[in-house]
Amino acid sequence: MSYTGPDFEPPQPRRSPLRRPLTVAIAALVPGALLGWGVYAAVGGPDDDGGADRAGGARTPAASSPGVSASAGADAKAPTGTSPSATPRDPTASASASKPAPAAPAKGPLKGKVVVIDPGHNPGNFQHPSDINRKVNVGTHWKECDTTGTATEAGWPEAKFTLDVAHRLRTLLEAQGATVKLTQDGDRPFGPCVDERARIGNEAKADAAVSIHADGSGAGNRGFHVILPGSVHDGEADTRAIVAPSAELGERIAGNFVRATGSAPSNYVGGGTGLVTRTDLGGLNLSTVPKVFIECGNMRDDKDASLLTSNDWRQKAAQGMSEGIVSFLRG
């Protein structure tokens, strides 16, 4: 199988359809993707399709509206209650022990471009249940401010994974000349809430925004998927202007993520395309700038967890995201 997208073919003029799913075709396979897929298959490829699970293996109901995945991702995750203090080992300890030095004046192909990186959840969320459980308006409905996210079976929390990858991604993008802003940098006790996460990107007038997550589905569900905003025009939510550019951003990130990491698209959502459209996530519904979520893998599956806890793999994940963002911003 292969994964095709904008960065596996000659550049095409931007098209206006609301969603252009990626295709899977052996004939379009490129050497880099073939090697990555071979490595992935060797350690255990896709199994049977199935609905996404919450952390701990509890099955979630299927989405009731068309185009909305049942994925247990992003700002829809239920808290796991896992305390970082119970974690036997922190895979990011050596990579994230010190804060990065201030960035040099911007120069490079992305000079003048603004990217907002949204590391999902917050390591301190579990200590503030009343704060993160309060409801906020996400345009179409009210939902919890935030959640604790999921964790590996060994207890390593998603919030530490997302912050580590965000730091790596920031370094790569700043090296290209981009101005990079994080929605949180381990510098606040909890949150921010999902509506504030969207507002940070909007107020920064970001040219692209990416929310980083890892899923909490059932064991055997493997692979990554990129969540795109569906068309929403209800209450304070109006995504109509960002649907098309967000789809392009998501496609480019997905294609480069395959190439950089060797990981396959999700075997449980997205129909093998690695792309899922949702209309229930406040972080997307309230965005006025091109934005996507990426679920980098499933923390509750042992094979995916072994990747997510690898320093080398996380660097490749950041590289794939960076290349996709650069491709999108340069056109």
Side-chain angles (χ1 to χ4, degrees), residues 173-187:
L173 290 172
E174 286 181 341
Q176 295 285 325
T179 297
V180 181
K181 182 177 181 63
L182 269 60
T183 58
Q184 60 94 6
D185 196 7
D187 53 356

Side-chain angles (χ1 to χ4, degrees), residues 150-169:
T150 188
T152 64
E153 292 290 348
W156 190 53
E158 177 188 3
K160 288 195 172 182
F161 166 83
T162 64
L163 195 56
D164 177 78
V165 175
H167 288 161
R168 297 169 187 268
L169 179 57

